[in-house]
Amino acid sequence: MAVETPLLDTVKFPADLRKLDKSELRQLADELRAEMIDAVSVTGGHLGSGLGVVELTTAIHYVFNTPDDRLVWDVGHQCYPHKILTGRRDRIRTLRQAGGLSGFTKRAESEYDPFGAAHAATSISAATGFAEASRHLKKNTTSIAVIGDGSMSGGMAYEGLNNAGHLGSKLVVILNDNDMSIAPPVGAMSAYLARASSSGVYQGFRTFGKQLAKRLPKAIYKQLAKAEEYGRGMVSGGTLFEELGFYYVGPIDGHNLDQLVPVLENVRDMKEGPVLVHVVTRKGAGYPPAEESADKYHGVAKFDVVSGKQQKGTPNAPAYQKVFGKTLIKEAEKDERIIGITAAMPSGTSLDMFAEAFPDRCYDVGIAEQHAVTFAAGLAGDGLRPFCAIYSTFLQRAYDSVVHDVAIQNLPVRFPMDRAGLVGADGATHAGSFDLAYLGCLPNMVIMAAGDEAELVHMTATAAAFDEGPIAFRYPRGEGVGVDLPEQGKILEIGKGRIMREGTKVALLALGGRLQEALKAADTLEAQGISTTVADARFAKPLDHDLIMRLVREHEVLITIEEGSRGGFGAFVLHFLSDSGLLDTGVKIRTMHLPDVFQDQDSPAKMYDHARLNAVHIVERAREALGMESNVVNLRG
């Protein structure tokens, strides 16, 4: 049953919103919240973060002249209300689906999304760029960055603050504090002070005072400026931001439009910048099931609006991340040197389980991947065995630390990389496409990839025992394939793969999550009279040279298969074959990898189908290499 939204129905774009009377904004926000809840119940997605910024989104678009004023959301998972108000309401029930709206901000989607995001702590830097571009282009516009208190744990946010403060950019940073990790209590007095200190009267008095004080000796002027700054800091907080060159306003109640709108209007009209507005919100606000949930319904499946019950399927096999978490606990029970490190993703990496078992041996460093890696390097440098568990896509953010602080020094940091390969609804920003390429080019690095959940148990144990240098192992998102799990992991021989099935004509050399598709392809090829070997490489680096040489010498065709970008495992195999002269033997080599594009969201199965990495495509490639017709129609029929 569709929700009734008579006022929201009159608003297609922010220009329509600005025609409303301020007294109507409360009703509009309530209708916007109801529409968002109803939409996400159909699509699934990020719910709690969007619910927390309904009033803030309404106020920003009411006060500022978007899209000319540039509004940059940090991460972007809170942008569903923003999308509804910016001409995309008619598509809001296509969120995170094939051909539908992105779950994050995306430049190609709307002029109201000036900057795409899905990783944290980028908004202030981007908004500073927009502010300076406006100055260079002589445009009278304002840049607004909305950043959560969680994202403020990322070092890049402070780099942006420092630069913007130094430049004096015409920039408004709205700190959306939804965890009370920064804010003092919010009440009528702080709201009054925020409104007063942002008002034109106060600003005019402040400017007059500055001009008067400048006529005084320099030392006295500096002391008066400090006195004014710390005077406001004493009653409202924000001294840190003042030190970085920002004028601090707040904290204010982010759900009270009577407070939000006038303060944002005052800030909009300020002649000097930059300004930081501290807004306190509640994640999941306005929807009881979300407010009462431990994670405030951060990410949800489809759900029933009335009960809040999510429609989650029954798993057929344990999730890879759970297998890793349980295995690491077993290893840590035997070895007190094992330490767990996560960058604000304890549940996503299953290190929350490890933290419960070993609270003194687990660290959540916040959204600070670069720090996490160098912190792990310091632990490893003194003989501990750190597991720095970071999603493949987020480890990209720490690449310099991986190179400079770990690989060059050959320190034994362990890198469990969850979400390897394609990840479905989160799309290109979260795909683990590049780690094989960006880690494989580094000297001293060992890289493993789990073909099933039992292999992940063995690789976790292997990493725990490996002290010769850095070692990484990747595994997919979601359920395993249903194989039996060993009680204890065995230590694998470094750089050695395994033969899964013997054949004579075609050799399929798979790395990681496409192993099961290679086995399915082999079944089809065998049924067509094409004798097929399937090998699990296990290691992308070092390669199993003996295995590769055997496959080349004993087969007409060798096909490498990986769920990574160009420049990864297949490239490593080709380098070896070229260097050893084995490309001169006449064997036909084919590499199968992700396409050289950023793939939009869809179900993982359909994304791999688009990438041509499913069993049917492996069969097609083998037949093509043998000079046979593809027979694809029969295979798919």
Side-chain angles (χ1 to χ4, degrees):
M1 179 177 171
V3 294
E4 293 186 7
T5 54
L7 200 56
L8 183 61
D9 292 344
T10 69
V11 175
K12 185 171 184 181
F13 292 102
D16 304 316
L17 172 63
R18 294 175 203 127
K19 296 174 184 176
L20 300 179
D21 189 87
K22 288 181 184 179
S23 62
E24 297 178 292
L25 295 183
R26 178 69 267 164
Q27 179 185 338
L28 181 91
D30 292 340
E31 293 179 11
L32 179 58
R33 177 171 280 108
E35 173 70 357
M36 181 193 162
I37 293 169
D38 189 71
V40 179
S41 74
V42 174
T43 65
H46 293 100
L47 181 64
S49 48
L51 291 174
V53 297
V54 166
E55 289 81 6
L56 180 59
T57 305
T58 302
I60 289 171
H61 282 298
Y62 185 77
V63 170
F64 292 96
N65 187 34
T66 54
D68 292 339
D69 287 339
R70 304 299 196 179
L71 173 58
V72 181
W73 296 93
D74 208 274
V75 184
H77 57 207
Q78 75 281 61
C79 70
Y80 301 176
H82 160 77
K83 295 197 176 198
I84 292 170
L85 292 177
T86 55
R88 287 169 278 183
R89 184 185 180 189
D90 60 343
R91 301 180 63 208
I92 200 66
R93 286 165 182 77
T94 69
L95 274 168
R96 296 162 53 88
Q97 298 172 30
L101 295 177
S102 169
F104 306 96
T105 52
K106 189 174 183 179
R107 277 178 61 86
E109 201 174 277
S110 171
E111 63 179 335
Y112 290 90
D113 291 359
F115 201 77
H119 292 186
T122 62
S123 61
I124 298 173
S125 297
T128 302
F130 282 116
E132 288 302 295
S134 177
R135 182 177 67 82
H136 283 292
L137 296 170
K138 297 180 172 55
K139 296 192 299 184
N140 185 28
T141 58
T142 301
S143 293
I144 309 105
V146 182
I147 183 168
D149 58 319
S151 289
M152 288 294 283
S153 66
M156 188 177 174
Y158 293 93
E159 294 174 20
L161 287 169
N162 184 56
N163 186 231
H166 169 72
L167 292 170
S169 304
K170 190 177 180 184
L171 170 70
V172 176
V173 172
I174 299 174
L175 171 56
N176 175 34
D177 182 359
N178 61 22
D179 200 28
M180 294 301 289
S181 60
I182 300 173
V186 177
M189 180 57 72
S190 65
Y192 168 76
L193 290 169
R195 185 168 179 174
S197 64
S198 63
S199 68
V201 173
Y202 179 85
Q203 291 299 307
F205 177 77
R206 188 171 183 249
T207 301
F208 171 76
K210 280 185 175 182
Q211 296 303 318
L212 179 63
K214 282 181 179 177
R215 298 178 181 272
L216 300 173
K218 191 173 183 180
I220 297 176
Y221 168 73
K222 285 185 175 180
Q223 290 302 316
L224 287 172
K226 286 292 183 185
E228 190 267 349
E229 172 188 323
Y230 283 109
R232 284 188 299 109
M234 287 281 287
V235 295
S236 65
T239 301
L240 168 64
F241 303 113
E242 297 276 2
E243 289 295 315
L244 289 168
F246 276 72
Y247 185 77
Y248 174 88
V249 177
I252 57 175
D253 183 349
H255 301 292
N256 187 332
L257 285 159
D258 292 332
Q259 291 181 16
L260 272 175
V261 171
V263 168
L264 291 181
E265 287 175 333
N266 287 341
V267 166
R268 176 197 62 196
D269 296 336
M270 284 185 183
K271 302 302 180 186
E272 297 181 6
V275 183
L276 186 136
V277 182
H278 185 172
V279 175
V280 178
T281 63
R282 300 187 314 280
K283 197 171 183 179
Y287 184 50
E291 290 187 310
E292 295 162 11
S293 169
D295 68 352
K296 309 301 181 188
Y297 275 41
H298 175 74
V300 297
K302 298 176 184 180
F303 64 94
D304 177 74
V305 174
V306 176
S307 68
K309 185 177 181 180
Q310 298 184 50
Q311 301 172 17
K312 293 184 177 180
T314 303
N316 297 312
Y320 278 99
Q321 68 185 64
K322 298 293 186 185
V323 172
F324 162 68
K326 291 177 180 179
T327 304
L328 189 63
I329 290 171
K330 288 184 178 181
E331 294 297 325
E333 288 170 347
K334 300 181 294 183
D335 187 348
E336 64 183 14
R337 292 171 295 175
I338 289 176
I339 305 290
I341 302 167
T342 178
M345 298 298 290
S347 61
T349 60
S350 285
L351 280 190
D352 56 344
M353 299 161 55
F354 185 88
E356 188 174 337
F358 302 102
D360 192 47
R361 290 160 60 185
C362 191
Y363 298 87
D364 182 352
V365 302
I367 304 176
E369 293 87 358
Q370 188 172 7
H371 164 67
V373 171
T374 304
F375 172 54
L379 291 168
D382 229 0
L384 294 177
R385 290 176 161 173
F387 279 74
C388 189
I390 300 176
Y391 292 2
S392 168
T393 184
F394 296 149
L395 190 60
Q396 295 163 188
R397 299 164 65 86
Y399 190 57
D400 180 63
S401 292
V402 175
V403 177
H404 182 269
D405 301 334
V406 176
I408 289 177
Q409 301 185 92
N410 202 33
L411 288 168
V413 176
R414 289 86 176 157
F415 293 104
M417 297 184 296
D418 201 341
R419 273 63 167 178
L422 301 175
V423 294
D426 281 336
T429 56
H430 283 58
S433 305
F434 308 112
D435 57 86
L436 291 172
Y438 71 65
L439 293 181
C441 63
L442 300 180
N444 298 329
M445 185 67 68
V446 173
I447 308 171
M448 303 179 284
D452 58 47
E453 58 269 42
E455 283 292 284
L456 179 55
V457 173
H458 300 318
M459 289 178 181
T460 304
T462 301
F466 187 77
D467 286 323
E468 286 71 35
I471 186 167
F473 53 105
R474 70 192 314 255
Y475 44 98
R477 179 183 189 175
E479 297 176 11
V481 301
V483 299
D484 292 334
L485 292 176
E487 278 298 314
Q488 293 289 334
K490 66 180 181 182
I491 298 174
L492 304 176
E493 183 179 353
I494 300 298
K496 289 297 177 183
R498 56 176 178 160
I499 297 288
M500 305 291 292
R501 182 176 304 183
E502 293 275 10
T504 58
K505 199 172 189 70
V506 172
L508 305 178
L509 179 59
L511 178 77
R514 293 293 91 190
L515 177 61
Q516 304 308 311
E517 294 299 309
L519 291 167
K520 292 177 187 176
D523 288 339
T524 301
L525 289 168
E526 290 284 353
Q528 297 176 5
I530 303 171
S531 182
T532 303
T533 293
V534 178
D536 176 9
R538 278 181 166 162
F539 290 83
K541 187 175 185 180
L543 292 171
D544 188 337
H545 291 170
D546 292 338
L547 174 62
I548 295 170
M549 286 190 290
R550 176 186 165 191
L551 296 177
V552 167
R553 288 170 177 159
E554 296 178 1
H555 299 81
E556 292 182 36
V557 173
L558 171 63
I559 300 176
T560 66
I561 307 157
E562 63 190 297
E563 45 192 12
S565 68
R566 291 172 183 260
F569 175 63
F572 305 156
V573 173
L574 287 173
H575 280 304
F576 167 65
L577 294 175
S578 175
D579 293 344
S580 59
L582 289 170
L583 288 178
D584 306 335
T585 61
V587 67
K588 297 174 180 178
I589 311 291
R590 301 291 186 271
T591 61
M592 299 184 70
H593 46 73
L594 294 176
D596 194 25
V597 298
F598 292 107
Q599 289 183 249
D600 286 332
Q601 73 268 11
D602 205 335
S603 69
K606 290 181 179 178
M607 291 182 79
Y608 280 117
D609 197 55
H610 180 263
R612 302 187 64 78
L613 283 176
N614 286 328
V616 62
H617 307 111
I618 299 171
V619 171
E620 181 180 353
R621 203 70 191 273
R623 292 178 63 89
E624 171 267 319
L626 291 168
M628 305 169 69
E629 292 183 4
S630 69
N631 207 27
V632 172
V633 175
N634 291 341
L635 288 171
R636 287 179 171 163

